Amino acid sequence: MLMLNRRLTVALALTMAFAAQAQAQAQAQAKLNLGVAIPAADHGFTAGIVWWANQAKKELEQQHPGLKITVKAAASAGEQANQLQDLVTTNKINALVILPQESAALTKPVQQLHNKGVYVTVVDRGLTDATAQDAYVAGDNTAFGSVPAEFIAKQLGGKGEIVALRGIPTTIDNERMDAFKAVLAKHPGIKLLDAKHGNWNRDDAFKVMQDFLTRFKKIDAVWAADDDMAFGVLKAIDQAKRSDIKLVFGGAGAKGMVKVLKDGSDPRIQANVSYSPKFIYDAIKLTAEARLKSEKLAAKTIIPSVLITRENAASFHFPDSPF
């Protein structure tokens, strides 16, 4: 009987030890409470951002029991700043992945969280002060501007008159426009008639293009730095019944635009440049897996932006995504 009691005691001790170890492992995995702050789905690209962010939440929480991911989408910079406070005070986050609504307006609110010890990964639209972040993940915005410029210059044979539609005033919009102009500087025969902000919005781009069409009687090509804007541009051109514009180059590889390119259904759409909203998924995954190990990401992670043509378009077509 005494031997049996000793065996039971040892077995109980081992069980308790294993339970404590399992609890410790669970607590180690539960130590990460990750907040995700992104723009609301007000156009195709941000709809893709919201979709991929929620995909990351679903998949990563399944893979890492105890990991908590809270996704918040905001329609304005002010709303996003308020959401950041909620993430800290209510959700008690200790890590943040944020795609800022606007660069300047969100820099101070993010800095305040960073000062409280929250690990910060900024995605896509950079802050105006990089000390407010631990890591930065984005597509290659330099290539996003230079690839279209090189393609347009080649297609026009180094001569022609073009217009450009920019996005929302942000650091990445500046990077793209600077890269676009740097390529054009090598082709003095190409004249940039004007460049205005279309805010990555189809309706805004439609209005900007209407203005361009009224002011400029001859336009050879258009760079609309986003596929939603490119669709607005095409609508304005068709409505004005202009036949002088031979090339409209969008950007980011929206599934509708890639399908047009793949099918060859509009001769004005001859190429695109990749910049998938899936990078929000990649940023959340990289941040979560690093922080669960108490590790840090590289200061900067750049996802390549490459030329999409009819020949490789199928590789960039994601029909299940809203973008």
Side-chain angles (χ1 to χ4, degrees), residues 99-317:
L99 198 166
Q101 267 281 356
E102 297 176 16
S103 298
L106 269 300
T107 296
K108 185 176 180 180
V110 173
Q111 181 74 71
Q112 290 172 344
L113 266 69
H114 193 245
N115 291 343
K116 293 178 181 178
V118 176
Y119 184 90
V120 176
T121 299
V122 174
V123 184
D124 191 39
R125 305 174 190 174
L127 302 174
T128 55
D129 183 357
T131 64
Q133 68 198 31
D134 294 282
Y136 178 66
V137 178
D140 188 343
N141 287 291
T142 298
F144 192 95
S146 63
V147 167
E150 290 165 356
F151 185 87
I152 291 170
K154 182 178 179 180
Q155 294 302 104
L156 296 183
K159 296 180 181 180
E161 298 179 328
I162 67 174
V163 293
L165 288 86
R166 305 178 60 170
I168 293 172
T170 53
T171 56
I172 66 167
D173 179 69
N174 292 336
E175 288 175 36
R176 293 172 176 182
M177 196 67 213
D178 289 347
F180 187 80
K181 287 182 176 179
V183 172
L184 293 188
K186 301 175 185 177
H187 301 276
I190 295 179
K191 182 179 180 181
L192 179 61
L193 299 171
D194 200 358
K196 285 193 172 182
H197 291 282
N199 304 316
W200 296 315
N201 180 278
R202 190 175 302 209
D203 293 335
D204 289 353
F206 175 77
K207 294 174 184 176
V208 171
M209 193 62 203
Q210 281 186 317
D211 173 64
F212 286 161
L213 292 168
T214 300
R215 292 164 51 208
F216 306 116
K217 300 307 177 186
K218 179 179 178 293
I219 299 172
D220 294 297
V222 181
W223 178 46
D226 176 85
D227 285 332
D228 271 329
M229 292 199 298
F231 279 119
V233 165
L234 291 169
K235 181 180 177 181
I237 294 170
D238 290 342
Q239 192 174 93
K241 298 180 180 180
R242 290 278 291 266
S243 59
D244 52 317
I245 301 166
K246 306 301 183 185
L247 172 61
V248 175
F249 198 118
K255 65 180 182 181
M257 190 63 76
V258 173
K259 189 175 188 307
V260 171
L261 177 59
K262 185 174 66 171
D263 296 344
S265 56
D266 190 328
R268 295 168 295 187
I269 303 302
Q270 301 169 24
N272 206 285
V273 61
S274 65
Y275 202 91
S276 172
K278 184 180 179 292
F279 59 49
I280 193 70
Y281 177 102
D282 298 331
I284 295 168
K285 179 179 173 68
L286 288 169
T287 303
E289 293 181 347
R291 298 310 292 162
L292 284 169
K293 299 174 185 176
S294 298
E295 296 176 354
K296 295 183 178 182
L297 299 183
K300 181 179 287 188
T301 300
I302 300 299
I303 300 166
S305 295
V306 300
L307 182 69
I308 305 174
T309 63
R310 189 174 182 184
E311 288 69 31
N312 66 356
S315 300
F316 296 91
H317 191 220

